[in-house]
Amino acid sequence: MSRIGKIARRTFLIGTAAVAGGVAFGVYAARKPAPNPLTPKDGEVALNPFIVIDGDGVTVIVPKAEMGQGVQTTWAALAAEELDMDPGDLRIQHGPPGKAYYNRGMGTQMFPTAEYRLSGWQEALGNQMSVAGKFLNLQITGGSTSSADGFEKMRQAGASARETLKEAAAQQLGVNRSALKTEGGAVIAPDGTRLSYAELAVAAAEIKPIVPDLRPQSSWKHVGKSQPRHDQMPKATGTAQFSLDVRLEGMKFAALKRNPYQGGGMAGFDPSAALDMAGVEDVINLGDGVAVIANNSWSAMQGAEAVVFDWTPGTYPETSDMIFETLRAAFDGDVNSTLLETGDVDILPDGATEITADYQVPYLCHAQMEPLSATALFTGETMEVWSGNQIPIHCRDVAAKEAGLDPEAVTLHTTLMGGGFGRRGFLDFTQYAARLAVKMPGVPVQLLWSREEDMSHGFYRPGAVSRFRGAVKDGRAVMVDGQIAAQSATASLMSILLGMAPMGPDKITVEGAFDQPYALPNARVRGYLADMDLPVGPWRSVGASINGFFFDSFIDELAHAAGADPLAFRLDMMRDEDARSASVLEAVRDASGWTGKTPDGVGRGVAFCHSFGTPVAEVIEVHQTDAGIKIAKAWIAADVGIALDPKNIEAQLFGAMTFGLSAALHQQITFADGAAEQANFYDYDAIRMHTMPQVVDIRILENGHRISGIGEPGTPPAAAALANALFDLTGTRARRLPLAEQFDFAV
Amino acid sequence: MARLTINGTAQTVDLPDEVPLLWALRDGLNMTGTKFGCGVAACGACTVHIDGEAVRSCQVAIGDVWGEVTTIEGLGTPDAPAVLQQAWVDHQVAQCGYCQSGQIMQAAALLAEVPNPTDADIDEAMQGNLCRCGTYPRIRAAIHDAAQKLQEA
Ligand code: FES
Ligand code: FES
């Protein structure tokens, strides 16, 4: 049978559209290719897992979680650049789980070194480690790695496809490949004959894929320019399908209810009151919780509240006070990491003034706009799962485990997601849906978490405490000695991804503090891990979301103690250490017209954080009004190395800053009697239209020697910039979050 | 069993009378453009119009619906978007997009009442609609742009 025949027999069910009889081809450039999940057999057709061509045109597979960051559009533009196609003419699908979709961008983040200091060999090694990552099934969207991950491989996929299609045309026309051009999805012969990619695809699939050089940046037509996002119209018309929008024939609606004392068990439950309710059909035991089945989601959620439970206690300290006591006690235990140590911090330099400050930040919920859910259908031999997730291979495998099936018997559809912010990198919402489906064979079921269920069950951003000691002399910082204690944000995730908890220094706990580009003659940053069962995990910008506040606030305190202008003080220490970071600070200074002086009733703060390879500086301006303090204006500058899509980068920057301001202002998850006290947006509020500052200017710099991420780095400076501005306005230094507890904001 | 007029079409929903309109749309009629974010009138993701007025559909039982319902699907379609929806596309407003159906329905009601809203009008009208992605600057720009286009038309 011809190869195309074999492919044609197999229908790729990808997302909502079927690509039947399509040809997926190109080359997969790693030395030992991972099997192409788009082909029947490894190596049978020389294939690229990223580009599929059928009679209707070209589809690019973007195996990344689209959570709002625009990754699908950016990756499509990268492929389009080499394919000589208009990015708007490409169809985009998420594709199935596949080892070939390992994340190549994660490697450099594994080094316990400040990213701004990474040398050439470390980066090369990082890339090697990333190749190793594919054997660990790391198909993950996270760590602001997508741009770096896709930057080369999507262009390679496009370039290889283009040249191989040209070769097919060359053979057909009896001319040399070099005599051919490509344009608008077709190969053009010297005499003007056009052969569309679609008509060449079958022949091209027979040819050994060609691996051409990538085009130089100077010739780019699409990459580097703002692209209209392909998901805008669906999202403006309510036609985009999110996880909760999956609708299947005969589908039941279910609501989850689990033990609010997280980690505790279920000794028993009485479903009778729920079963009496209109619309409720069943209450199903899921082990440590139940699912209430109904003919609509609301009745299911009402039913879930009516079930009477006998919960057993959770496995962590019961109150916030006790939890933070445990965090502080970690300072008396072993040091987990000392990733920054220069000079001598034990001796106060002669004539220097010593400053100390303790800080604290709360636990936080992701509160992504779309509550968690997944949908599953179990037939006995197979399972089909729809889930908006960041780790598709792991989600497929956990569903298979629940059903006692081979992973191959599970089809996982990764849907659009209404925000993620790190929460969708966990398995629980997929796992519970699969567990429920197994108990309802033949019936498709959607398992929804109410907002309250979502908010009361972490993986929370860990709360953290820190102690800083520093010294200033002659207007400069001469010493910084920081200690940070928290639960590890990534240990639980790494256990899921790698099957083991990582050992050694936990870089994430101190990132945003140990790795900042300041020339400090005497400096040390030590991390301490508190061991508690309270579920924690990555939250947009992870450790830097904590240390961006701790470290930069302390730098600001040092600046004031030194009698220096806070921006000039930072710049002074940064210029020799990292010119790229200094340029970012200068850009925000110029954009905001920073003078260091503010009139009465106006306060300004600047903050800086280098995270995920991207230096970001923000200035926030606050105004005292009759109604309270208003966050009035914001300026942002960032260096992303190479800006793939400036308008999208802008959106990520002000979005990430807003995410940080929301947390700084309002948010905390506190615990009483072992349960989270916050339930919904009325007690876990965020920045809204009327409290959003005017984003006056965003400056995007491109001085980096490599591409860096943008989904997260806008978050870390936000809280510090706001707290520093409040200090300028009121003279009161905020050393803990949230700020609305300590300042009178206009609401 | 409730009889409703939605986007100009008479519909029958076979769900208990106390079920909120949100879930009648989403689960009873498979009209999933209207979103669930909180269920307690705290986020605005579920905003629809009843007789032209913006309401939180998670708070109105189907038995109590007092007039004609318009949802995001009734405002315009990808092939024939409303001016406001096109402004959303032109300004590249959506990030995750989950809140945007509600934002657009709220903004449509604002423009119907105040054809040329000031920033203060926008603050006032839109503050019940949460966006966790922080798209507010572009929402504001898209509303101003649509207001202008609608007045020129
Ligand atoms: S779902 Fe109705 S206001 Fe949030
Ligand atoms: S675009 Fe994501 S919540 Fe508004």
Side-chain angles (χ1 to χ4, degrees):
Chain A
M1 180 186 280
S2 76
R3 286 165 190 177
I4 184 66
K6 278 192 192 170
I7 295 172
R9 270 197 304 127
R10 188 186 136 98
T11 298
F12 304 118
L13 246 190
I14 303 168
T16 48
V19 181
V23 178
F25 73 97
V27 68
Y28 184 60
R31 235 172 297 149
K32 201 166 171 226
N36 185 341
L38 301 180
T39 65
K41 254 197 205 159
D42 188 7
E44 193 157 84
V45 185
L47 291 173
N48 181 317
F50 299 100
I51 289 169
V52 176
I53 298 181
D54 65 9
D56 295 332
V58 182
T59 299
V60 50
I61 306 294
V62 180
K64 284 282 168 183
E66 179 57 82
M67 301 175 278
Q69 77 281 41
V71 59
Q72 292 189 334
T73 300
T74 301
W75 277 37
L78 289 164
E81 187 67 59
E82 293 284 348
L83 278 168
D84 284 329
M85 289 182 70
D86 188 305
D89 291 341
L90 288 168
R91 285 169 297 165
I92 302 174
Q93 296 193 347
H94 180 281
K99 289 190 188 194
Y101 302 134
Y102 78 98
N103 186 336
R104 211 190 272 185
M106 292 292 257
T108 49
Q109 288 189 10
M110 294 165 106
F111 287 103
T113 312
E115 290 217 22
Y116 76 92
R117 283 202 178 126
L118 279 183
S119 67
W121 69 265
Q122 282 168 317
E123 282 180 38
L125 196 58
N127 290 331
Q128 288 296 317
M129 286 168 71
S130 294
V131 172
K134 98 184 127 145
F135 301 110
L136 300 170
N137 287 351
L138 286 182
Q139 183 183 354
I140 179 168
T141 308
S144 290
T145 54
S146 290
S147 293
D149 182 19
F151 180 56
E152 280 190 357
K153 75 186 178 194
M154 293 313 283
R155 289 185 298 142
Q156 278 164 355
S160 173
R162 181 195 71 228
E163 288 306 310
T164 313
L165 286 159
K166 277 167 70 182
E167 181 59 30
Q171 291 178 10
Q172 196 169 316
L173 299 168
V175 300
N176 206 304
R177 174 158 59 96
S178 59
L180 300 171
K181 287 198 184 62
T182 47
E183 181 190 289
V187 178
I188 319 287
D191 66 358
T193 309
R194 289 177 73 91
L195 294 168
S196 77
Y197 288 173
E199 59 190 296
L200 292 166
V202 173
E206 301 286 336
I207 296 167
K208 186 168 180 298
I210 294 158
V211 188
D213 288 341
L214 296 179
R215 289 174 172 163
Q217 187 172 354
S218 56
S219 76
W220 290 347
K221 295 193 187 75
H222 309 294
V223 177
K225 298 198 177 64
S226 299
Q227 302 294 329
R229 271 175 60 164
H230 81 111
D231 53 352
Q232 288 295 346
M233 186 58 89
K235 287 174 175 176
T237 51
T239 52
Q241 302 261 312
F242 295 88
S243 172
L244 260 180
D245 299 335
V246 172
R247 289 292 174 275
L248 303 166
E249 191 62 39
M251 189 177 93
K252 296 295 180 190
F253 299 92
L256 181 70
K257 181 80 183 177
R258 282 199 298 153
N259 193 338
Y261 314 116
Q262 299 170 65
M266 185 171 67
F269 66 96
D270 175 3
S272 47
L275 290 169
D276 284 346
M277 297 171 85
V280 172
E281 296 174 1
D282 204 353
V283 176
I284 293 181
N285 186 340
L286 295 178
D288 59 350
V290 303
V292 175
I293 317 298
N295 62 3
N296 71 91
S297 306
W298 184 78
S299 297
M301 287 190 281
Q302 297 294 110
E305 292 310 310
V307 176
V308 179
F309 292 98
D310 183 4
W311 300 123
T312 62
T315 50
Y316 49 86
E318 280 186 359
T319 66
S320 284
D321 283 351
M322 291 160 70
I323 289 166
F324 277 91
E325 213 33 67
T326 309
L327 293 181
R328 276 186 287 271
F331 287 135
D332 303 328
D334 292 342
V335 177
N336 167 263
S337 72
T338 308
L339 292 183
L340 174 64
E341 197 165 24
T342 35
D344 186 349
V345 293
D346 291 323
I347 310 161
L348 187 68
D350 253 1
T353 312
E354 187 172 5
I355 321 290
T356 59
D358 294 353
Y359 303 91
Q360 178 174 322
V361 295
Y363 287 80
L364 294 171
C365 171
H366 302 80
Q368 72 291 341
M369 202 70 216
E370 181 189 23
L372 296 172
S373 74
T375 304
L377 168 61
F378 175 67
T379 64
E381 279 95 52
T382 63
M383 184 178 289
E384 202 164 349
V385 182
W386 292 258
S387 147
N389 72 86
Q390 295 166 247
I391 46 171
I393 294 173
H394 294 79
C395 282
R396 179 198 65 191
D397 291 356
V398 81
K401 210 165 142 202
E402 288 289 338
L405 295 170
D406 290 337
E408 294 69 42
V410 175
T411 307
L412 176 84
H413 308 277
T414 298
T415 62
L416 284 179
M417 17 209 125
F421 312 129
R423 184 61 181 86
R424 296 178 189 274
F426 286 92
L427 298 170
D428 47 358
F429 51 100
T430 308
Q431 183 168 13
Y432 283 106
R435 188 176 299 173
L436 176 60
V438 170
K439 302 196 177 203
M440 302 173 65
V443 181
V445 60
Q446 180 166 85
L447 183 61
L448 163 70
W449 302 41
S450 66
R451 175 60 64 190
E452 292 79 6
E453 188 68 14
D454 186 317
M455 198 166 280
S456 57
H457 293 88
F459 300 89
Y460 300 116
R461 196 291 300 272
V465 293
S466 65
R467 297 171 175 172
F468 278 85
R469 222 179 110 242
V472 292
K473 189 181 166 184
D474 304 330
R476 292 183 72 119
V478 289
M479 180 178 90
V480 171
D481 184 15
Q483 293 171 279
I484 297 144
Q487 288 178 264
S488 170
T490 49
S492 58
L493 181 64
M494 286 304 159
S495 307
I496 293 170
L497 294 178
L498 310 176
M500 57 184 181
M503 309 285 284
D506 190 291
K507 174 183 168 183
I508 306 291
T509 298
V510 291
E511 73 181 354
F514 87 91
D515 50 358
Q516 297 307 298
Y518 292 114
L520 290 160
N522 305 292
R524 178 171 64 182
V525 170
R526 289 174 291 175
Y528 299 79
L529 293 184
D531 194 14
M532 279 182 279
D533 282 346
L534 183 52
V536 295
W539 180 100
R540 197 173 194 171
S541 79
V542 206
S545 77
I546 295 168
N547 295 313
F549 174 67
F550 289 166
F551 190 80
D552 189 275
S553 292
F554 190 63
I555 294 289
D556 208 67
E557 295 211 40
L558 292 178
H560 287 283
D565 172 75
L567 198 152
F569 181 79
R570 287 172 176 80
L571 199 50
D572 223 27
M573 294 192 290
M574 203 177 264
R575 268 206 186 97
D576 293 337
E577 190 70 14
D578 185 37
R580 184 174 169 231
S581 295
S583 302
V584 165
L585 207 45
E586 284 165 348
V588 90
R589 176 194 65 196
D590 298 347
S592 66
W594 180 277
T595 59
K597 307 260 180 304
T598 47
D600 267 3
V602 175
R604 273 189 174 197
V606 63
F608 171 91
C609 189
H610 193 297
S611 64
F612 305 92
T614 304
V616 181
E618 294 171 6
V619 168
I620 296 281
E621 183 174 302
V622 290
H623 293 176
Q624 183 66 57
T625 72
D626 292 342
I629 298 168
K630 177 161 177 49
I631 308 175
K633 295 179 183 179
W635 295 262
I636 310 173
D639 191 329
V640 296
I642 299 169
L644 297 184
D645 185 329
K647 195 156 169 138
N648 194 48
I649 290 169
E650 262 179 33
Q652 286 303 304
L653 283 170
F654 72 68
M657 178 192 74
T658 308
F659 198 77
L661 290 176
S662 288
L665 207 52
H666 295 294
Q667 296 172 352
Q668 58 181 331
I669 295 290
T670 56
F671 300 87
D673 296 334
E677 293 187 289
Q678 289 70 25
N680 206 316
F681 290 123
Y682 51 74
D683 52 14
Y684 195 88
D685 205 356
I687 294 278
R688 291 168 180 267
M689 180 64 85
H690 65 301
T691 50
M692 175 80 188
Q694 182 199 356
V695 183
V696 184
D697 196 1
I698 298 176
R699 302 231 171 144
I700 299 167
L701 281 62
E702 298 184 84
N703 296 320
H705 61 299
R706 67 189 166 100
I707 194 159
S708 60
I710 203 59
E712 299 172 271
T715 298
L722 176 56
N724 297 340
L726 290 168
F727 179 76
D728 186 43
L729 180 73
T730 66
T732 303
R733 173 62 63 182
R735 295 201 178 109
R736 56 190 289 166
L737 303 178
L739 297 164
E741 288 192 332
Q742 306 151 68
F743 296 86
D744 181 22
F745 286 98
V747 282
Chain B
M1 189 83 84
R3 282 172 214 293
L4 304 168
T5 304
I6 301 167
N7 301 332
T9 308
Q11 301 267 17
T12 310
V13 190
D14 190 12
L15 288 172
D17 263 4
E18 68 269 24
V19 170
L21 175 59
L22 170 64
W23 300 107
L25 293 167
R26 291 185 52 81
D27 298 355
L29 299 167
N30 287 348
M31 295 176 67
T32 54
T34 306
K35 303 301 184 197
F36 164 61
C38 70
V40 295
C43 79
C46 65
T47 304
V48 301
H49 298 173
I50 300 181
D51 285 346
E53 185 195 346
V55 297
R56 307 291 182 237
S57 65
C58 69
Q59 298 300 304
V60 181
I62 40 177
D64 296 338
V65 173
W66 59 86
E68 293 197 11
V69 177
T70 308
T71 69
I72 186 75
E73 291 96 339
L75 209 62
T77 61
D79 293 332
V83 169
L84 189 59
Q85 290 168 311
Q86 186 60 51
W88 242 250
V89 174
D90 293 345
H91 288 266
Q92 300 277 296
V93 173
Q95 290 186 29
C96 85
Y98 193 78
C99 73
Q100 301 297 347
S101 297
Q103 304 278 6
I104 290 171
M105 294 309 286
Q106 188 70 41
L110 167 66
L111 291 182
E113 207 181 314
V114 187
N116 199 3
T118 62
D119 279 339
D121 293 333
I122 292 173
D123 281 350
E124 183 65 28
M126 302 303 294
Q127 61 179 263
N129 289 75
L130 205 57
C131 174
R132 288 291 283 139
C133 300
T135 62
Y136 306 113
R138 290 188 183 174
I139 292 176
R140 188 186 296 281
I143 294 174
H144 282 309
D145 187 23
Q148 199 183 342
K149 293 216 168 83
L150 285 165
Q151 286 189 313
E152 284 164 6

